[in-house]
Amino acid sequence: MATPALMPVYPRCGFRPVRGEGCYLIGEDGQRYLDFAAGIAVNALGHGHPKLVEAITEQAATLMHVSNLYGSPQGEALAQRIVDNSFADTVFFTNSGTEAVECAIKTARRFHYAEGNPQKHKLITFNNAFHGRTMGAISATNQPKMRDGFEPLLPGFAYAPFNDLDAALALIDDETAGFMVETIQGEGGVSVGTPEFIKGLREACDEKGLMLVLDEVQCGYARTGKMWAYEHYGITPDIMAVAKGIGGGFPLGACLATEHAAKGMVIGTHGSTYGGNPLAMAAGNAILDVMLEPGFLDHVNAMGDRLRSALEQMIPNHDHLFAEVRGKGLMLGIKLKAGNEPREVVAHLRDHHGLLTVAAGEGVVRILPPLVIGEEHIAEAIERLSEGARTFAPAAAS
């Protein structure tokens, strides 16, 4: 069979969306799907949000791209807003989450270089992590499905079980630069870092002069009911990668850092042709305009509590399939009973019940709706999910 024009690296399904309206996607055939995947936590304001559409439209007609050799009033403005609403003192804009992770890795290494300790280059990362698909990002995970066939990988990483503080601390040596961890693992199974684990990593970094690098590409930007997931733990990182919700669907990411952590990132150490372009900055500012409005986070928390409660009440009715609910805010996951494959459940819900969800590791189906959902969307999702559970039969049993 001839290779298609679009490189076949995704297991694309038959659903072909052509239009989005709020919390719904519409396919080529006109069928409406309730979108509780949100582009894998990207479409934070749903589809076609008027504030985002207006900002992008106006900026596209004004100025889309210039070189980063010039001053950037648009980038400076968005960076300042992010600084004002986070731990960070400085921001580097990227086009994606994996680029933000690459910048975070470089920032951590360059810090120790600037401190006169170039041997401190190794980051301790965690099992089931997902940091992206670049060579650096796949080197930072020990998942064979992302690494196989791409060796030799980037050296300078060690791996510990997630939520195992003792195992992580045992890996520290003279070459350790710090830890890089998802505050809440998304692709790995919606596994929430325990307070003891996240706080323990912070304490170890403080004691030993190491960098705490958080990957909040999926769990940041209000997804968990706080602007940043680290706020649930009463700590701050030194460096953090964010993306997904930051642009609401427009390609955008960012690496955030304290002044101390970023001391090595001087002229010539990093760059991006498209990163921080005026069009992306307009999208980023529009997202913050909405997310920083009074009551926005209250709404996310209220809907997160409502959705979690509804899922937990539903589980006993389908205990052949569902085991438990995981996550925080509107970053939730349903762990399936052994013998059930998340991709099969996701496909069944999509193809037969018009509900879009996302598969994850550890037998989990991710529930990642737009942050602007209402109770009517939750009720509809639960109805479709319940009916889908009632009619689902594993492929091995069918």
Side-chain angles (χ1 to χ4, degrees):
M1 185 179 72
T3 300
L6 193 59
M7 189 177 287
V9 295
Y10 286 101
R12 297 180 186 272
C13 66
F15 173 45
R16 297 162 62 88
V18 295
R19 192 169 78 258
E21 295 177 358
C23 296
Y24 296 88
L25 280 175
I26 297 92
E28 280 183 322
D29 59 359
Q31 183 176 347
R32 294 171 64 88
Y33 294 74
L34 181 59
D35 188 4
F36 268 45
I40 314 183
V42 169
N43 300 103
L45 304 185
H47 304 281
H49 191 281
K51 183 79 175 182
L52 183 57
V53 171
E54 180 183 14
I56 292 173
T57 302
E58 289 185 358
Q59 188 62 50
T62 306
L63 184 66
M64 286 195 284
H65 173 80
V66 295
S67 170
N68 280 318
L69 295 174
Y70 309 135
S72 176
Q74 303 91 352
E76 291 165 5
L78 179 56
Q80 188 61 57
R81 295 183 78 187
I82 293 173
V83 164
D84 291 343
N85 288 280
S86 73
F87 75 95
D89 298 310
T90 190
V91 179
F92 180 88
F93 289 113
T94 69
N95 308 289
S96 65
T98 194
E99 290 175 61
V101 167
E102 290 289 322
C103 184
I105 293 170
K106 289 180 68 174
T107 302
R109 287 189 171 186
R110 186 76 185 187
F111 166 79
H112 291 288
Y113 177 88
E115 288 275 283
N117 298 304
Q119 77 281 3
K120 290 183 175 293
H121 67 280
K122 184 170 64 179
L123 286 171
I124 297 169
T125 61
F126 297 90
N127 296 354
N128 291 329
F130 181 83
H131 296 295
R133 297 281 188 172
T134 57
M135 290 300 292
I138 65 173
S139 299
T141 179
N142 64 350
Q143 293 199 62
K145 68 181 181 180
M146 282 177 278
R147 297 162 56 105
D148 289 351
F150 298 109
E151 296 83 0
L153 299 175
L154 184 70
F157 296 93
Y159 316 98
F162 186 70
N163 272 334
D164 189 334
L165 180 61
D166 290 339
L169 299 182
L171 291 175
I172 296 175
D173 60 24
D174 292 340
E175 295 183 341
T176 301
F179 302 97
M180 185 164 72
V181 61
E182 295 158 280
T183 321
I184 301 175
Q185 289 188 334
E187 195 274 345
V190 195
S191 298
V192 179
T194 65
E196 297 76 16
F197 177 63
I198 300 297
K199 290 180 179 180
L201 296 179
R202 176 70 273 174
E203 291 170 2
C205 288
D206 291 339
E207 291 171 5
K208 299 180 182 296
L210 306 178
M211 294 283 100
L212 178 60
V213 182
L214 295 184
D215 179 342
E216 294 207 357
V217 167
Q218 187 168 150
C219 64
Y221 258 81
R223 176 56 56 181
T224 68
K226 292 185 179 292
M227 193 65 198
W228 315 108
Y230 68 74
E231 296 180 83
H232 292 284
Y233 301 89
I235 61 100
T236 57
D238 300 294
I239 304 165
M240 186 167 73
V242 300
K244 292 192 181 287
I246 188 175
F250 194 91
L252 179 58
C255 177
L256 286 56
T258 64
E259 181 179 13
H260 180 63
K263 67 184 298 182
M265 300 303 283
V266 296
I267 290 174
T269 56
H270 198 53
S272 170
T273 295
Y274 298 108
N277 66 77
L279 191 53
M281 299 300 91
N285 268 308
I287 292 293
L288 281 187
D289 285 346
V290 176
M291 288 191 176
L292 295 179
E293 288 178 356
F296 184 85
L297 290 175
D298 292 336
H299 174 81
V300 175
N301 280 300
M303 293 301 99
D305 290 344
R306 177 72 185 90
L307 178 57
R308 187 184 192 107
S309 176
L311 291 170
E312 289 176 340
Q313 291 177 30
M314 179 196 69
I315 281 178
N317 299 325
H318 307 286
D319 58 5
H320 67 290
L321 182 60
F322 301 137
E324 65 176 3
V325 180
R326 298 178 169 187
K328 287 183 179 292
L330 289 173
M331 183 178 179
L332 299 176
I334 308 174
K335 182 170 177 58
L336 305 178
K337 291 285 184 70
N340 295 292
E341 169 56 46
R343 291 186 184 277
E344 292 181 9
V345 174
V346 167
H348 178 74
L349 293 172
R350 178 191 66 235
D351 297 340
H352 300 285
H353 300 279
L355 178 64
L356 303 179
T357 56
V358 188
E362 297 192 350
V364 169
V365 172
R366 276 179 281 182
I367 310 293
L368 303 167
L371 303 183
V372 294
I373 58 168
E375 291 198 7
E376 69 277 17
H377 301 114
I378 293 175
E380 182 180 352
I382 294 298
E383 181 180 353
R384 295 189 186 208
L385 186 57
S386 184
E387 183 62 18
R390 187 185 68 79
T391 58
F392 174 75
S398 61

